[in-house]
Amino acid sequence: MNSHLHYTPEIRQALEAGSAVVALESTLITHGLPYPINVETALAMENAIRQAGALPATTAVLNGEIRVGLTSDDIEMLAAADYVRKCSRRDLAIAIGLRQHGATTVAGTMIVAHMAGIRVFATGGIGGVHRGHPFDVSADLIELGRTPIAVVCSGAKSILDLPLTLEVLETQGVPVIGLGTDNLPAFYTRNSGLPVDVCVDSPEQAAEIIAAAGRLGMNHGTLVVVPVPDGDALPVEIAEEAITRATAEAESNGITGKLVTPYVLARVADLTEGLSRRANTALLINNAHTAAKIALALQPHDTPEIPL
Ligand code: PSU
Ligand code: MN
């Protein structure tokens, strides 16, 4: 076990036994969704993973300690805390060195999951290249190129430039696997019209590709994209209009850097009222369930060397 990490007893035991564990991020709780939906959704994702027969490990930094697995009290505490640093790769050392609370982004969660020996991670949407700002490239994309974790998500929100996001993933050497879809989902909506690298029909088939990447030892991540369940998708026009407006407002209010994503997410939620929320919750739970199935399917394969 990595001595820099603090595990819940349940997760420690599961990792020692080689059981299926799915990592979950915490930025979703602190910067992605409002209270109390953030707490409810985080717990519902954990439940979905348990119901599928795996164990959830939400990751965060609490008072400077990297946690692998949170209790529901920890989740409540993070959701209510005055200041929680949003932790991508560059931020982890700051939060740890200054004994702060930190919420892990997709990149931050991948790093912690890899240190812990977890191979699968579920979330809603990854960061990407920002529309109109081709040099604002989320650290998530770079992390996917260098850390061997499978990230199960519903693509990325079209607040981002999705064609450029796919280009950067290609440059970083990240396979994009569509589970039951041949094109990249756009978070609230099922289709972006942009092709994925391969379409598979089952979590087991996705696991075969992830296992092959592990055996090759190339150390890149894999993106498994799953569209929002049919009945819960947002009508395309409503999603697009809200996103265009929110992005323009961020620009005119001078919002930059790591504040852009949280700002736009909050505005889109306001502008679409309950609709975006329903899609959001549905896809998060579905992705958690799917990630658990992939983690279970990965079990019989030879495990790659894990740097414990
Ligand atoms: N996209 C969402 N919801 C989120 C995020 C992205 O639909 O909560 C969060 C994730 O934690 C992601 C991060 O890793 O924002 C990306 O932020 P940035 O663009 O600053 O890298
Ligand atoms: Mn960004």
Side-chain angles (χ1 to χ4, degrees):
M1 295 269 119
N2 186 311
S3 61
H4 303 290
L5 306 181
H6 298 259
Y7 306 85
T8 55
E10 184 186 45
I11 293 299
R12 171 181 284 276
Q13 221 173 36
L15 291 171
E16 280 170 353
S19 318
V21 176
V22 175
L24 296 171
E25 64 161 300
S26 44
T27 296
L28 195 65
I29 302 170
T30 55
H31 296 74
L33 292 168
Y35 188 83
I37 300 162
N38 53 356
V39 174
E40 289 163 15
T41 309
L43 297 177
M45 289 179 82
E46 293 209 343
N47 254 331
I49 291 168
R50 287 182 194 280
Q51 274 170 14
L55 286 178
T58 304
T59 70
V61 178
L62 301 186
N63 294 311
E65 289 183 355
I66 302 183
R67 298 295 187 94
V68 183
L70 297 184
T71 64
S72 43
D73 283 350
D74 292 334
I75 290 175
E76 276 284 351
M77 186 280 286
L78 261 189
D82 282 339
Y83 177 70
V84 181
R85 183 176 291 273
K86 177 178 161 187
C87 288
S88 215
R89 174 173 278 270
R90 66 143 187 220
D91 315 280
L92 278 170
I94 301 176
I96 293 163
L98 300 182
R99 310 266 184 281
Q100 294 176 340
H101 293 326
T104 51
T105 63
V106 169
T109 306
M110 290 179 73
I111 292 167
V112 173
H114 183 49
M115 287 178 180
I118 299 171
R119 297 158 76 191
V120 185
F121 158 30
T123 190
I126 59 164
V129 182
H130 285 273
R131 279 192 197 174
H133 298 271
F135 296 109
D136 185 349
V137 177
S138 172
D140 294 353
L141 304 183
I142 313 304
E143 204 61 46
L144 277 159
R146 65 195 278 183
T147 303
I149 298 290
V151 179
V152 181
C153 68
S154 297
K157 292 206 172 88
S158 51
I159 59 174
L160 299 168
D161 187 320
L162 298 182
L164 284 187
T165 298
L166 281 181
E167 291 293 344
V168 174
L169 286 169
E170 183 200 352
T171 305
Q172 294 296 323
V174 181
V176 181
I177 305 175
L179 183 44
T181 181
D182 59 8
N183 83 90
L184 183 75
F187 197 87
Y188 296 121
T189 56
R190 290 173 62 86
N191 298 323
S192 67
L194 300 164
V196 293
D197 299 320
V198 65
C199 167
V200 300
D201 300 325
S202 67
E204 291 72 23
Q205 246 187 328
E208 292 289 353
I209 298 173
I210 295 159
R215 287 195 300 273
L216 288 172
M218 291 199 295
N219 284 325
H220 59 75
T222 305
L223 200 61
V224 180
V225 294
V226 186
V228 56
D230 224 348
D232 300 303
L234 215 65
V236 177
E237 320 75 60
I238 293 184
E240 278 306 308
E241 198 195 308
I243 286 165
T244 308
R245 211 170 126 188
T247 313
E249 284 178 18
E251 178 113 32
S252 62
N253 288 326
I255 312 283
T256 56
K258 72 197 261 182
L259 298 176
V260 173
T261 302
Y263 179 90
V264 175
L265 295 182
R267 280 304 287 147
V268 168
D270 282 350
L271 293 167
T272 61
E273 291 161 359
L275 283 180
S276 73
R277 202 157 290 157
R278 175 171 152 194
N280 212 334
T281 314
L283 70 86
L284 284 166
I285 292 170
N286 188 47
N287 294 351
H289 182 84
T290 306
K293 292 205 151 159
I294 294 174
L296 285 160
L298 274 173
Q299 289 309 294
H301 292 281
D302 25 344
T303 328
E305 282 290 299
I306 290 161
L308 292 182

